[in-house]
Amino acid sequence: MSVDTATVKRVAKLSRIAITDERAESMREELNTILGFVEQLNDVNVDGVEPMTSVVDMEMRKRVDEVNDGNMAADVTANAPAQEDHFFMVPKVVE
Amino acid sequence: MTELVDVRTPNPKNFFPGEDHDWELVIGLEVHAQVTSNAKLFSGASTAFGSEQNSNVSLVDAAMPGMLPVINEECVRQAVKTGLGMSAVINKRSVFDRKNYFYPDLPQGYQISQLYHPIVGEGTITVQVGPDKAGKFETVEIGVERLHLEQDAGKSMHDQHPTMSFVDLNRSGVALMEIVSKPDIRSIDEAKAYVTKLRSILRYLGTCDGNMDQGSMRADVNVSVRKPGGDFGTRCEIKNVNSIRFMGQAIEYEAKRQIDILEEGGSIDQETRLFDPVKVETRSMRSKEEAHDYRYFPDPDLLPLEFDDAYIEEIRASLPELPDQKRARFMEEGLSEYDASILVSDKSYADYFEKVAEGRDSKTTANWVINDLLGALNKAGKDLDNSPISPHQLGGIIDLIKADTISGKIAKDLFEIVWNEGGDPAKIVEDRGMAQVTDTGAIEAAIDEIIAANPDKVAEVREKPKMIGWFVGQVMAATGGKANPKAVNELLQKKING
């Protein structure tokens, strides 16, 4: 598997990463090197092997349905670049 | 993507008129139902509606670095319960995936959802469409493709500031069940009946409050048109429709729009559209197009969700009586299909009815609940939860009719008094002298007086027996409507015709 420059630009856009044309070009080369390296895994026969989801054999931990968090609007919004009255403020987005 | 299969036979009743020929609508619905739970799907923050902005937000919901999701077991139970209520396959192993997109109300940059292995698989919802003019319902089976658990996003407000949007994350991370139907729906009425029935099932189960005003239930509506019985057409998806009425309007507008394009020789672009309830139209949401590449992958923060048969059976054993079962029982107890269908259509109706019907005639009770109470509530724009008349009071009125204390006609007046002023029906009847006169002596006296004053009418009645109605009216007027109509009739017959 390999990617072309257009794919690199599209993925960058979907990830909201701004890149120049030159950077996209060098990024394509870097990504293809990585993909080529990872591709070696395809040599391993995994027929009938379930995907491993955890290195330890355990069940997912669950929480009980209890409200024991929240009520810290000031803390939650403390690091926001812009906030007013505990609302986050972002550049206007309207459909 | 699963292959689309057409399981319905085209029915001209459902067709949509076109220029040269009729069109058939094909509709599929994705309903997002907020799971009833105290805490969110993966955090311990509250799900309460209408709280101060960002107060029901934990550091997990705000996606602070290093925070990890831990699933709420109640949300799992509610999803399984809902699956069982739709006779659906329950998957003992399901997996959470990340759906990646950027939006200011989605702090993680992805929504935790279930794409490849949902918790619930195929099921069925049996829908009653109607009633038609004859009071009959058509029963239609609508397939459910799947139900999966996912996180809700936060809420943006655009009208608070000239250049900025405000974001409140209280809803961020609240558990949703996305219930996806198969493309089995063929008309606006069927779509409405499907959502109504689904809402009713959720409310009976207690897994979602079904409150569409507060956004607890919203639907994405997929609409396409085709020649009746032909191949499926290209569909458009109308996002986030939040009332059953709007859904009907959105489908109607969208069907006409698509038919117009096709009749002019054009073709439909598959796209996401937005319904504007003010202008009653759908509009393209071009911005959504590119975002459609969601790059799903299994969420590495969460292990697969697994449970055993015993867990499912324990939940199955706790299921309440569902609308279909209740309707069948009501019909066995003597109600018509119409009455039973109306009463089970909303859990609050059925609960109210059953409280009143306890120890009383079910047919009479159904008439009062449906015709009088629901009628009056509808007129007043109120719902049953805010009824001015309690089940106990309505029961009291019915008891007074049953005991022949008041006539059916007086009962209507009594109903209005209780509606407006409240109080104990029996006491009102006593205090205001509304009890009907069963004392034949008093009725006889009134009859004698009227007969004596109207000899011409007496002669007329002997010619035309139907004229007796005039006398009944006179006697009722003379007794202030309190005479027992049956006694009046009998006595009149005896006195006039000997």
Side-chain angles (χ1 to χ4, degrees):
Chain A
M1 186 188 164
S2 65
V3 292
D4 57 16
T5 313
T7 307
V8 172
K9 284 186 176 170
R10 201 169 66 85
V11 173
K13 190 170 181 200
L14 287 170
S15 312
R16 299 296 187 276
I17 297 170
I19 54 169
T20 62
D21 287 357
E22 293 135 62
R23 187 69 186 111
E25 196 51 42
S26 60
M27 186 70 89
R28 179 184 62 84
E29 284 165 27
E30 281 174 41
L31 281 173
N32 282 336
T33 309
I34 295 166
L35 288 168
F37 173 74
V38 175
E39 219 152 60
Q40 293 176 68
L41 290 173
N42 287 345
D43 295 340
V44 184
N45 183 349
V46 290
D47 288 352
V49 180
E50 283 288 311
M52 186 177 74
T53 49
S54 170
V55 288
V56 281
D57 185 20
M58 61 178 284
E59 273 194 21
M60 179 156 67
R61 261 194 60 206
K62 301 186 181 82
R63 67 166 69 240
V64 294
D65 184 27
E66 219 173 67
V67 176
N68 54 18
D69 207 344
N71 285 317
M72 46 175 167
D75 292 341
V76 162
T77 52
N79 294 325
Q83 60 120 336
E84 191 176 302
D85 204 11
H86 296 164
F87 278 111
F88 293 95
M89 287 167 84
V90 298
K92 192 160 269 196
V93 273
V94 175
E95 283 296 341
Chain B
M1 194 67 207
T2 28
E3 200 192 335
L4 301 181
V5 183
D6 193 353
V7 295
R8 302 285 306 274
T9 310
N11 182 344
K13 198 186 76 179
N14 294 332
F15 293 169
F16 213 85
E19 197 104 308
D20 305 322
H21 61 81
D22 285 339
W23 294 86
E24 189 179 24
L25 307 192
V26 176
I27 302 163
L29 293 170
E30 294 163 23
V31 173
H32 295 86
Q34 184 184 323
V35 174
T36 300
S37 65
N38 299 317
K40 294 183 178 182
L41 181 54
F42 295 114
S43 87
S46 167
T47 60
F49 179 79
S51 306
E52 285 283 302
Q53 57 271 19
N54 287 315
S55 58
N56 297 338
V57 180
S58 78
L59 298 179
V60 178
D61 310 315
M64 292 296 165
M67 294 297 116
L68 287 173
V70 180
I71 197 165
N72 180 339
E73 63 176 4
E74 176 66 9
C75 298
V76 175
R77 171 177 290 270
Q78 294 283 54
V80 171
K81 204 172 185 184
T82 306
L84 293 172
M86 305 186 302
S87 315
V89 177
I90 308 298
N91 295 323
K92 283 181 278 183
R93 182 179 189 278
S94 63
V95 178
F96 287 97
D97 301 297
R98 289 185 181 181
K99 176 180 180 176
N100 300 279
Y101 66 93
F102 277 99
Y103 208 71
D105 61 15
L106 188 79
Q108 287 165 156
Y110 58 84
Q111 175 194 36
I112 305 179
S113 181
Q114 299 188 298
L115 178 66
Y116 303 105
H117 304 283
I119 185 166
V120 174
E122 292 185 329
T124 308
I125 293 180
T126 307
V127 166
Q128 276 70 41
V129 188
D132 61 13
K133 288 190 190 90
K136 290 282 166 209
F137 290 83
E138 185 196 1
T139 299
V140 179
E141 304 239 300
I142 307 293
V144 170
E145 174 73 31
R146 56 187 283 156
L147 174 156
H148 65 254
L149 279 169
E150 63 184 27
Q151 297 175 300
D152 204 345
K155 197 176 128 203
S156 313
M157 274 166 278
H158 309 297
D159 52 2
Q160 310 283 314
H161 192 278
T163 57
M164 306 288 267
S165 290
F166 281 31
V167 180
D168 172 13
L169 298 180
N170 278 348
R171 226 175 50 191
S172 166
V174 167
L176 299 179
M177 296 180 280
E178 177 169 333
I179 302 158
V180 184
S181 86
K182 292 186 180 284
D184 290 354
I185 301 166
R186 294 288 176 274
S187 70
I188 294 170
D189 283 346
E190 286 184 5
K192 287 180 172 176
Y194 171 82
V195 176
T196 306
K197 184 58 173 286
L198 177 57
R199 179 173 180 272
S200 154
I201 291 173
L202 296 171
R203 280 167 57 85
Y204 273 73
L205 291 167
T207 56
C208 168
D209 65 21
N211 195 330
M212 298 184 96
D213 295 340
Q214 296 179 0
S216 304
M217 237 180 116
R218 330 188 269 276
D220 296 344
V221 189
N222 287 283
V223 180
S224 65
V225 300
R226 63 176 183 183
K227 287 185 179 174
D231 291 337
F232 285 127
T234 304
R235 70 189 163 87
C236 289
E237 180 179 7
I238 311 160
K239 281 278 182 200
N240 259 331
V241 182
N242 63 3
S243 89
I244 293 178
R245 189 165 63 91
F246 289 163
M247 182 181 71
Q249 292 175 343
I251 296 171
E252 179 159 7
Y253 178 90
E254 185 57 21
K256 280 186 185 146
R257 186 187 72 88
Q258 293 185 15
I259 290 169
D260 282 351
I261 292 174
L262 293 170
E263 287 183 337
E264 279 165 23
S267 62
I268 307 296
D269 295 326
Q270 181 166 342
E271 62 178 356
T272 307
R273 299 179 69 86
L274 176 88
F275 178 67
D276 180 339
V278 179
K279 294 185 183 159
V280 195
E281 62 176 28
T282 66
R283 284 200 301 273
S284 184
M285 294 170 78
R286 305 232 174 264
S287 61
K288 280 269 175 188
E289 293 314 296
E290 192 159 58
H292 257 140
D293 189 348
Y294 291 128
R295 294 148 296 144
Y296 280 97
F297 65 90
D299 190 324
D301 287 343
L302 290 159
L303 286 166
L305 176 57
E306 291 174 295
F307 41 78
D308 56 16
D309 286 318
Y311 178 77
I312 300 173
E313 290 317 310
E314 185 231 315
I315 295 171
R316 194 192 303 277
S318 75
L319 290 183
E321 185 181 44
L322 289 169
D324 288 341
Q325 297 159 335
K326 208 183 264 292
R327 193 181 63 246
R329 179 165 63 80
F330 283 175
M331 286 169 72
E332 272 167 31
E333 289 167 8
L335 293 192
S336 67
E337 185 192 14
Y338 177 84
D339 287 352
S341 300
I342 300 285
L343 290 173
V344 303
S345 67
D346 194 301
K347 186 170 184 295
S348 65
Y349 297 176
D351 288 348
Y352 191 103
F353 165 76
E354 293 204 90
K355 273 188 209 138
V356 183
E358 176 91 56
R360 301 192 175 91
D361 177 59
S362 57
K363 181 68 197 155
T364 311
T365 305
N367 283 343
W368 275 92
V369 171
I370 296 171
N371 300 332
D372 299 277
L373 183 62
L374 292 181
L377 287 166
N378 192 25
K379 221 167 164 189
K382 291 185 179 185
D383 57 31
L384 193 51
D385 297 331
N386 302 313
S387 166
I389 298 189
S390 71
H392 184 73
Q393 287 170 313
L394 184 60
I397 296 175
I398 295 171
D399 288 343
L400 291 166
I401 309 170
K402 180 88 198 320
D404 266 340
T405 309
I406 54 172
S407 66
K409 196 176 158 298
I410 291 287
K412 307 270 174 188
D413 299 340
L414 177 59
F415 178 88
E416 238 183 271
I417 295 170
V418 178
W419 174 281
N420 291 320
E421 304 168 25
D424 173 31
K427 190 160 183 316
I428 294 171
V429 167
E430 204 188 312
D431 290 352
R432 309 194 185 189
M434 294 168 78
Q436 66 185 348
V437 180
T438 39
D439 168 15
T440 43
I443 299 174
E444 257 181 290
I447 291 175
D448 288 344
E449 211 169 291
I450 292 160
I451 287 179
N454 299 283
D456 50 330
K457 293 279 181 188
V458 174
E460 236 178 287
V461 170
R462 290 198 177 123
E463 298 289 308
K464 290 186 239 157
K466 275 192 183 156
M467 281 291 295
I468 199 142
W470 183 85
F471 278 95
V472 175
Q474 291 297 309
V475 177
M476 295 307 275
T479 56
K482 289 181 293 188
N484 180 326
K486 198 164 147 253
V488 172
N489 250 308
E490 281 171 9
L491 288 167
L492 274 171
Q493 293 290 355
K494 207 159 47 178
K495 292 202 178 271
I496 293 177
N497 300 322

